[in-house]
Structure formats: structure tokens, C-alpha cells
Amino acid sequence: MTPSAPEHPLRVAVVCLGNICRSPMADVVLEQKLADAGLSDAVVVDSGGTGDWHRGEPMDPRAAAILTEHGYDPSRHRARQVTGDWFDDHDLILTMDESNFDDVRALARTPQDRSKVQMFRSFDPVSTPGDDEVPDPWYGGPEGFEHVLRLIERTSDAIVANAPELVTELAR
Ligand code: 4NP
């Protein structure tokens, strides 16, 4: 039996702690790569943070600068906090590190909610169980942001390559 067409695009959220560095970078990069692949109507992306300190703020200037340097547009981002009702509006919630993973799973109300949460780098072709995080660059220098962008671009390429299967499996 062929699966019926989904009623809506695959709705993906990327999540970190503050929603001003890692997850907004992943949001912008993944969205751009989906657009470049002609998949903007099939997969929609947004982002949030588990903490509330930066709600309403634009991206960290260091994150915005590295994105601009690499040809992405960071200007539209405003930080938001993840709440339990995000499970109603998303098919897949991708977390940057293990503590984000635990914090988002703690917001889940049902086993089905919990099953929507995965590590972002679970899609990275070279991740391993001991190396599956996008590390927090907040306290470090610009090289940390370079490293984060490399991880995000590689993982986003893999998500785009898997997008047709993900839409079929997860969008309802
Ligand atoms: P993010 O980075 O989780 O990648 O957005 C951080 C941003 C802010 C803070 C920590 C991490 N903070 O402690 O305010």
C-alpha cells in the first residue's frame, strides 16, 4: 500500500539553550539548504531555546557575523522559548546537546511527544555515540562558532538528502 500524502509539510524545530547561537544558526542554514534544493514547501523549520533569558532578542552578534560571512541571512531571527505545546506544532524536534535533549523530553506529555525528540547530529554521517553534540560556543572565541557552523552545514546537508523519506515517515 502506498502511504497517503501528508496533510502538511514536515515541521522541524531545532533547539538549544538560549536560542541565540546554535539553534538559530541551524534554523537559517537548514532553511537555506532546503530552499536551494527546492524543498521549502515540503519541510518547514523554526527554532527555540529551553531557557527564557533571551526571548525576543536577535541572534548573538558572533553567530550572525559568521553566518553573514558564509552567505546566510541572520537578520530575521528573534529568540523564542520552547513549551510543551510545541509538540502539537512539530513532527521532529532536533536538539543540539544532551542537556537540551533531556530538557525538551521533560516537556513531553505523551510517549508520542517523546518520540519526536532526537539529537540534531543523529543525522550527521560522521557522528558517534560519544560525539553527537553541537557544543555551546557562548563562552569561547570565534573558532567555536566556525566549528559549530561546520557541524551544522554537514548535518543539514544530510537532513536535506533524507528529506523525502522524512516527509513520508513523519509528516501527518
Ligand atoms: P545557545 O548559546 O544555547 O547556542 O543559544 C547560549 C546562549 C546564551 C546562554 C548560554 C548558551 N546564556 O547562558 O545566556
Side-chain angles (χ1 to χ4, degrees), residues 31-158:
E31 200 165 71
Q32 184 61 54
K33 286 180 178 292
L34 287 162
D36 292 346
L39 291 168
S40 296
D41 292 338
V43 184
V44 295
V45 187
D46 64 6
S47 68
T50 56
D52 66 355
W53 314 284
H54 299 284
R55 257 193 331 222
E57 293 178 15
M59 218 180 286
D60 181 285
R62 299 165 295 176
I66 193 98
L67 286 181
T68 303
E69 201 178 301
H70 288 262
Y72 301 100
D73 174 12
S75 66
R76 293 191 308 276
H77 180 72
R78 295 295 177 272
R80 296 188 303 152
Q81 186 180 22
V82 179
T83 51
D85 55 11
W86 281 43
F87 289 101
D88 297 330
D89 302 332
H90 295 88
D91 305 299
L92 189 58
I93 301 184
L94 299 175
T95 59
M96 293 287 142
D97 65 30
E98 296 285 354
S99 89
N100 311 145
F101 180 86
D102 292 343
D103 290 344
V104 174
R105 297 250 302 188
L107 296 171
R109 303 150 304 179
T110 62
Q112 200 210 349
D113 284 355
R114 255 191 305 285
S115 72
K116 294 182 175 183
V117 189
Q118 282 184 44
M119 291 290 278
F120 177 74
R121 284 189 64 210
S122 62
F123 291 95
D124 180 350
V126 302
S127 71
T128 63
D131 174 23
D132 65 350
E133 297 190 317
V134 178
D136 188 349
W138 171 258
Y139 294 104
E143 67 288 346
F145 286 84
E146 286 275 4
H147 179 58
V148 163
L149 181 61
R150 275 197 300 278
L151 296 176
I152 285 172
E153 286 190 310
R154 186 172 72 212
T155 302
S156 297
D157 284 334

Side-chain angles (χ1 to χ4, degrees), residues 16-24 53-54 100 136-139:
C16 62
L17 178 60
N19 193 219
I20 55 169
C21 297
R22 293 166 291 175
S23 63
W53 314 284
H54 299 284
N100 311 145
D136 188 349
W138 171 258
Y139 294 104

